[in-house]
Amino acid sequence: MTDLADRRGVNTTVYQPAEDSGLLAKAAVSRVSGRVLEVGTGSGWVSEQLVRKTDADVVASDLNPHACRQAAERAAALRQEGERGFQVVRGNLVSPFRDDSFDAVAFNPPYLPADPDAERDDWMETALTGGEDGRAVIDPFLDAVGRVLKPDGEALLLVSSLSGYDDVLDRAEANGFSHEVVVQESYPFETLTVLALK
Amino acid sequence: MKESLMDILCDPLDKSELELEVDERDGDEIIEGRLIGTVTGEVYPIEDGIPNLLPPDMRDD
């Protein structure tokens, strides 16, 4: 591989924690307990925060095999330290989980609207972009997550203004969710919000 | 994966139950084996402790 990013040692297969991950972790740590699923865990960093800072029983999933391996290594390192660790499952959104399994589901989705001219076909593209409108992954998540939540459970979804905040709220409402803003921060190019959906 | 994970996993195709077959264990961790759909008969591998529950049409490896 002679790709520039690769030569510079930049990880090109697994999304590494950034502001959005930090915001989701902050929101989730303040709210979750019981059994928690983190969808699209990437490097597993948010799940690690949940293990360290809450008493939740954490399961992490991702579509990307490289992400699953990194997350599993992180979980193993936690156990080496004497922490509880977390379980890793490769899967698509919530499809491999039974009905009413989780007290909370946290998700920092791929949300950047795709730029057709710059489109790549690799795992980092999959981790970052959500189709033309940025909601190609968010919408199916909102349609499916209710099934795996316990009756009093909640989904914690990171939403960027770049993928259409009101459109995300409309889809959540269409799926019978009420929403609450847990935390919101503005950055130069976007506003990030973590919504609690019940 | 820990065997207790079986309580919350299902066949991604039809949400039916899975059967666990273990080839290698390390304490309560299942390292190698497979999950088999009790209705679909689909086989989902467990490799390096990670169950791959992607539906067959989404698998690339």
Side-chain angles (χ1 to χ4, degrees):
Chain A
M1 294 258 263
T2 52
D3 179 71
L4 181 63
D6 203 55
R7 285 207 303 275
R8 287 179 178 166
V10 176
N11 189 307
T12 55
T13 55
V14 180
Y15 186 69
Q16 299 300 311
E19 288 88 352
D20 46 8
S21 324
L23 203 64
L24 180 62
K26 182 171 153 186
V29 161
S30 72
R31 296 180 76 99
V32 306
S33 62
R35 186 184 276 135
V36 180
L37 172 66
E38 190 205 353
V39 173
T41 191
S43 72
W45 184 84
V46 171
S47 285
E48 176 180 349
Q49 308 312 308
L50 295 178
V51 169
R52 288 191 187 280
K53 297 173 186 169
T54 74
D55 60 4
D57 178 7
V58 180
V59 179
S61 76
D62 207 293
L63 189 67
N64 174 348
H66 309 288
C68 288
R69 273 195 293 277
Q70 265 191 33
E73 282 165 17
R74 193 183 285 272
L78 273 173
R79 280 192 290 269
Q80 287 279 322
E81 274 183 43
E83 293 278 356
R84 301 186 310 286
F86 55 90
Q87 299 283 302
V88 178
V89 175
R90 188 171 178 208
N92 181 33
L93 299 174
V94 300
S95 72
F97 300 103
R98 292 194 199 188
D99 296 8
D100 305 325
S101 289
F102 298 101
D103 297 285
V105 176
F107 189 25
N108 176 12
Y111 61 70
L112 296 177
D115 173 356
D117 296 331
E119 211 163 330
R120 311 190 319 219
D121 182 23
D122 61 21
W123 284 113
M124 192 53 75
E125 176 89 12
T126 306
L128 291 173
T129 59
E132 218 169 287
D133 57 10
R135 295 190 300 279
V137 183
I138 297 171
D139 285 350
F141 172 79
L142 289 170
D143 296 349
V145 67
R147 182 183 65 78
V148 302
L149 284 171
K150 293 181 185 174
D152 58 349
E154 67 178 17
L156 294 163
L157 177 66
L158 184 126
V159 184
S160 165
S161 49
L162 295 175
S163 49
Y165 183 76
D166 290 336
D167 293 308
V168 172
L169 283 185
D170 288 348
R171 189 76 170 218
E173 277 168 22
N175 279 291
F177 286 109
S178 61
H179 71 274
E180 179 189 330
V181 173
V182 183
V183 56
Q184 189 168 61
E185 282 180 14
S186 289
Y187 297 90
F189 299 104
E190 62 184 331
T191 297
L192 299 177
T193 307
V194 178
L195 290 176
L197 305 171
K198 267 182 176 301
Chain B
M1 62 170 269
K2 285 194 162 59
E3 191 158 350
S4 61
L5 204 56
M6 292 301 293
D7 294 346
I8 54 167
L9 292 180
C10 65
D11 192 323
L13 292 176
D14 67 350
K15 314 304 170 201
S16 62
E17 287 196 22
L18 296 163
E19 195 178 292
L20 172 66
E21 287 184 22
V22 180
D23 292 334
E24 188 190 336
R25 253 176 214 280
D26 179 11
D28 62 347
E29 285 280 321
I30 294 148
I31 309 296
E32 303 286 333
R34 65 204 68 76
L35 297 162
I36 301 166
T38 53
V39 174
T40 64
E42 196 59 52
V43 178
Y44 303 94
I46 304 169
E47 291 168 350
D48 291 328
I50 303 169
N52 180 355
L53 281 158
L54 282 182
D57 66 344
M58 291 184 73
R59 284 186 213 157
D60 51 9
D61 53 351

